[in-house]
Each structure stands twice: as C-alpha cells, then as structure tokens.
Amino acid sequence: MKENLLYDTLLAPHHGRQDLFLECPGGEDVTYDGFLRQAGQMAALMRRLGLVPGDRVAAQVEKSTAALALYAACARAGLVFLPLNPAYTQAELGYFLSDSSARLMVCDPSRAAGLAELCKDLGTQLETMDTAGGGSFIAQATEMEYDFQTVPRRADDLAALLYTSGTTGRSKGAMLSHGNLVSNAESLARAWGFEQGDVLIHALPIFHTHGLFVASNIILATGGRMVFLPKFDLDAVFAALPSATTMMGVPTFYTRLLADSRLDRVATAHMRLFVSGSAPLLTETHAQFADRTGHAILERYGMTETSMNTTNPYDGARRAGTVGMSLPEVELKITDPESGDPLPQGEIGQIEVRGPNVFQGYWNMPEKTAAELRQDGFFITGDLGRIDEKGYVQIVGRGKDLIISGGFNVYPKEVEQLLDAVDGVRESAVIGVPHDDFGEAVFAVLVPEAGVTLDPNAIGADLGQMLAKYKQPKAMVSREELPRNTMGKVQKNLLREEFKTYFNAS
C-alpha cells in the first residue's frame, strides 16, 4: 500500500522527469521535476508555519502553475486543500474560513488588506500568491529545501474540502479522501484512453472538481502534458488545437467554439477527444459540433461529492441527451424519492450512487450527511433521472431547484434570501432559464410591496457586493404574485415555462 496514497500514486512517479508538464503560452513552461520541487518547497514552508497533518489550507488565488503546486504540496504534507472561487466576496469567505477552521489562507495580494482583520479574528494565518510567481508565500517557499519528507496518508484520510451550495443558503463542505481522488482519476484515465503522449487543453478553473480533480489528476495519473491556459480564450484554444489531443470543458466552451468560423475538421484533425461536463449539453450543440468537426462530444456526469459517476463510451455511441453509463467501479440506481426503493428500468426517480469515488460526508454536518449518505454507502444525489432501454443514464431534472450556470452551481435559496431582504421586495423566486452561452442563467421574479416600483439595476448593484458574479441574476422581472399550488408552495415549474425563451427569443 502507498504510504501517501494521493502523492505516491499521482505525483511521486514523476520525480526527476524533465518532460514538460505544464505548457503555459505567454508564460514560463514547467517540467514535472520543476513542479514537484516547488511543491516540496511549499510543503516544507507549511510545516515551518506550524501546520500539521489534517489542517485545512484555504486558497483563493487566480489560476497559475504555483496554485496547482499548492494542491500537490498539501497532498504531500498531509494537509486538506480547500480551493475557493476567486469570485467569492469577503462575506462569503468569512463563512468558509470559519466553518473549516482553516489554519492558513493563501490569497491574491490585492485581497490581503481586506482579509487581514477577518483572518486575525479567526486565528488563520494569511499569506499571498500571485500569478507571476510573487507574493509572501512564494517568497518564503523559495528559501526552503525541496526534499520534503512525505507525510503518510491512507485511503480514508482527507485530501480536500470543497464547499457546495446548500438549499438553505448554508454551503456544505464535501470531504474528499485520498482514495476518492485516486480511484476516480485512475478509472477515468482508463475509460477515456489517456496515455503519456496525450496533451490536454486545460482552460478550466482549478477551484472546481472538473479542472482540479478530473483534468489535472488524469494527466498526473498518466504522465501527459497540459496546455495550461489562465481561462477559456478562443484564440489560445485554436492555437493549441494543432498540437493537443484532448480538451475538457463546460458547454459554454463548445457554444463559443461553434460561434467561431475557424472551427472545422481541419482545426480539430489532431484531436482525439472532447469532453463536456458540469452542466447539461444541449442536443443541438452536440449535433452541430459533430457536423462541423467530425467529433462527437463525450458527455459525463459528476458532482462535487463524487467526482465522476458516469460517462458516455470512448469506443461506442455517444448519445446526445445522455450522460452514458456508470463507471466500472460505480454502482448507480434509480429509486423512488419517497421510499428509496429501486424503480424499474425506464422510470424516472432519484439517482443514487455508490463506489470508491463517493465522499466521506459533509464537514461539521452529521445530520445532513446521514440524510444524504445512506448507511449502505449509497449517496442520494438529488438529481432526477432514468436509465433508458440501452442502459444510458438520462438526467431529466434536478431536485432542490439547483441552477447550473456556466458550469457553476447556484442554489436559488441563497439568492432569494438576499432579494427578500431588499426594501420594497415582498418575496422572490429565483429560477434557471435556458441561455445559449451559460446553459442556464439565474433569473429572478420579484413581488414588490404594495405601491412600490422596484429598480432592478439598483438591486443588482447591491447584490454585487454580496454574491459572486455567477450567482447574480442575469435579469429580474416584477409580478403581482407568484404561482402557488393548493399547499401554498411556489410552482417554479410554471415560472420556468413562462420565461423559458426570455434570453433566447427568436
């Protein structure tokens, strides 16, 4: 058994390799050995700062090679990595740092002054890191020896803590173990045919499961190379296509590629695989992409708590509108939401999954863990789906009204609580409506107090101080009342039907 499962399996085999790991257009490329040396220095620094195995390390930094090395350093030092979206406001950060009891916070230098008092009050050490290789954390790390003694960590030891939105507005910290991450990386590498010669276009963020644990871990597991882009940029992606073999993205990536006249079979001739996830891919997008490029996008299904659960086949029919079949190590069943009993094939019910990829539970939330993670190991995903006659899983809806906008999860309740607190707003309903670019856009229906005329621009400006941009409504409308059923529950399905063409009206 590996002494440190995550580090010894995915990272240690590359020590001394001078092969290119991260190709950074416009920046400095990084070899495997250079990457691991930097990670070793960071691990040594965190030990010197007094962190011990199991401590949480929060990072709210822009995407960079050093930011990825911090993840590797935490794995090596036995620390729990807590990546945070750079879009989170200070108010949101306060909850994450407090709830996780993070011992160290690494942020962009531009945010340090605003976070200093918060971190001091919470007893969290504060260091900085920028994309150019600067900041207090990097400066101290360069003085450390890179030959750090790896801390033993077993399969059940925590490797990461990722917060996912809660229906009551309180985010839940999903506890992911070394075994969770390694098993999923190895399973996906086999399922998608990754080898050392692969070159992956990496334009995803690395504070999210998709970019950090799916894309990066697969390349580490197979020893390939990544074209490491700061963000999705059409020119950069087209420049990378001739030398790349694979790309992972959210549906927005593919709609933007389709809108560019450069996308054709010549541009994608060197590619072997395009993967899409984090949000539903429209059937039209799948068909248009195949027609233009000759490549059928491979859609899969996963979530923060489980990483990947299912995938369309690499060799075989990739069926539009489905997320394929469960991975070999994953059990998936469709159950009755009320009784939990399995349903016959073809019937719609809640999706439950079990396997080595399923998380350890929610941080500091034993009741929520017990409610969603059954004693037999099956996790109740909250998604609704069916298994069709050919064994492919179809996601037909999402429980709890989750919105996925541009690949990011938004729970309406968090936004509604802030809208309801606005002067002049009697109540609100937040829904997701179809959007060509984002897949779904956050949309708010407001009911004003009697005699009040609401100003959506002013409300939006106020929300901008409290919510990450992707959570903010793209549009708001006023209504005299919200539709309700006989039990008084707001019928959001009627609102979604009413506004389904709001952004895409022809």
Side-chain angles (χ1 to χ4, degrees):
M1 181 180 289
K2 303 287 187 181
E3 288 192 0
N4 181 306
L5 184 61
L6 180 59
Y7 192 85
D8 289 346
T9 303
L10 301 186
L11 294 148
H14 306 302
H15 274 290
R17 280 187 61 190
Q18 297 305 316
D19 307 67
L20 192 59
F21 172 43
L22 301 174
E23 180 182 337
C24 305
E28 186 174 349
D29 296 343
V30 179
T31 65
Y32 270 97
D33 190 60
F35 178 78
L36 293 175
R37 282 173 177 251
Q38 184 176 37
Q41 290 177 313
M42 290 179 175
L45 172 59
M46 290 188 286
R47 170 70 60 82
R48 192 180 75 179
L49 292 174
L51 276 69
V52 298
D55 281 345
R56 276 71 62 203
V57 176
Q60 190 191 39
V61 292
E62 298 297 332
K63 183 179 179 180
S64 69
T65 59
L68 189 61
L70 179 58
Y71 160 55
C74 287
R76 189 171 187 182
L79 301 168
V80 181
F81 188 53
L82 169 52
L84 295 167
N85 190 335
Y88 283 142
T89 65
Q90 186 168 324
E92 291 167 311
L93 288 176
Y95 170 74
F96 299 129
L97 295 178
S98 174
D99 186 67
S100 67
S101 299
R103 286 287 309 281
L104 173 65
M105 170 68 174
V106 182
C107 72
D108 187 89
S110 65
R111 305 196 70 163
L115 290 172
E117 185 174 351
L118 171 64
C119 288
K120 181 180 179 180
D121 291 343
L122 294 173
T124 304
Q125 298 181 70
L126 180 64
E127 302 290 347
T128 61
M129 173 193 295
D130 64 26
T131 58
S136 63
F137 188 78
I138 300 296
Q140 293 175 82
T142 56
E143 300 175 355
M144 307 299 295
E145 295 292 332
Y146 59 81
D147 191 17
F148 178 83
Q149 184 173 356
T150 304
V151 174
R153 292 281 95 176
R154 301 296 182 173
D156 289 340
D157 287 323
L158 294 190
L161 184 63
L162 267 64
Y163 279 86
T164 181
S165 298
T167 56
T168 63
R170 184 186 175 197
S171 293
K172 302 172 290 185
M175 300 186 290
L176 298 167
S177 70
H178 283 242
N180 294 151
L181 301 184
V182 169
S183 67
N184 211 234
E186 293 180 335
S187 180
L188 291 171
R190 288 190 297 269
W192 295 341
F194 273 83
E195 299 177 346
Q196 187 168 324
D198 272 306
V199 179
L200 172 72
I201 298 175
H202 193 304
L204 294 159
I206 56 172
F207 57 80
H208 189 273
T209 297
H210 195 170
L212 185 60
F213 299 142
V214 179
S216 301
N217 280 356
I218 286 177
I219 292 298
L220 287 168
T222 54
R225 184 168 93 240
M226 292 193 284
V227 181
F228 206 61
L229 303 177
K231 61 181 180 180
F232 181 80
D233 176 84
L234 281 169
D235 290 339
V237 170
F238 278 108
L241 283 173
S243 62
T245 62
T246 60
M247 187 179 95
M248 296 182 193
V250 297
T252 301
F253 287 11
Y254 296 107
T255 58
R256 292 180 182 179
L257 283 168
L258 283 166
D260 195 296
S261 61
R262 290 173 289 181
L263 184 72
D264 57 24
R265 294 180 183 235
V266 174
T268 60
H270 194 253
M271 297 289 286
R272 70 170 184 86
L273 179 64
F274 290 92
V275 178
S276 181
S278 298
L281 184 73
L282 296 179
T283 301
E284 296 90 330
T285 302
H286 189 283
Q288 291 170 13
F289 198 87
D291 183 61
R292 287 269 291 277
T293 68
H295 290 279
I297 298 171
L298 186 152
E299 192 170 9
R300 83 302 181 277
Y301 163 60
M303 55 200 314
T304 301
E305 292 91 339
T306 64
S307 290
M308 297 305 104
N309 298 309
T310 74
T311 178
N312 268 273
Y314 179 65
D315 294 312
R318 301 173 194 171
R319 301 186 63 191
T322 79
V323 291
M325 292 160 275
S326 59
L327 290 163
E329 295 82 2
V330 178
E331 298 174 72
L332 182 147
K333 62 182 180 179
I334 307 297
T335 64
D336 182 283
E338 296 297 327
S339 67
D341 295 332
L343 294 174
Q345 186 171 9
E347 290 194 19
I348 294 174
Q350 66 185 5
I351 298 173
E352 298 189 29
V353 295
R354 178 170 67 182
N357 59 313
V358 174
F359 74 139
Q360 308 298 293
Y362 294 115
W363 181 263
N364 287 337
M365 289 186 174
E367 292 182 359
K368 178 62 68 174
T369 299
E372 299 186 20
L373 192 58
R374 298 189 188 278
Q375 289 187 348
D376 63 2
F378 272 96
F379 173 58
I380 304 169
T381 66
D383 291 320
L384 302 176
R386 62 185 291 268
I387 300 175
D388 68 17
E389 69 284 353
K390 293 189 177 181
Y392 287 69
V393 177
Q394 296 177 338
I395 310 295
V396 300
R398 292 186 296 278
K400 307 170 186 175
D401 297 312
L402 172 68
I403 300 167
I404 302 180
S405 183
F408 300 124
N409 291 355
V410 182
Y411 273 92
K413 190 66 176 179
E414 182 181 11
V415 185
E416 289 166 354
Q417 287 176 331
L418 295 174
L419 289 171
D420 293 346
V422 172
D423 287 342
V425 174
R426 190 170 83 226
E427 62 177 342
S428 64
V430 172
I431 58 174
V433 299
H435 190 283
D436 285 339
D437 200 14
F438 296 102
E440 281 187 313
V442 181
F443 186 92
V445 182
L446 308 177
V447 177
E449 299 283 1
V452 173
T453 300
L454 298 173
D455 182 352
N457 292 329
I459 295 173
D462 289 339
L463 288 184
Q465 304 300 313
M466 297 177 282
L467 286 176
K469 190 172 183 179
Y470 70 87
K471 298 180 185 178
Q472 298 168 27
K474 295 289 187 293
M476 290 180 258
V477 299
S478 293
R479 286 287 183 274
E480 290 185 2
E481 60 182 8
L482 298 176
R484 283 182 160 81
N485 62 17
T486 56
M487 298 299 290
K489 182 178 180 180
V490 175
Q491 294 180 296
K492 288 189 174 182
N493 60 313
L494 298 182
L495 294 175
R496 283 189 285 265
E497 179 65 24
E498 180 181 354
F499 296 107
K500 65 181 181 182
T501 62
Y502 186 90
F503 292 106
N504 303 322
S506 56

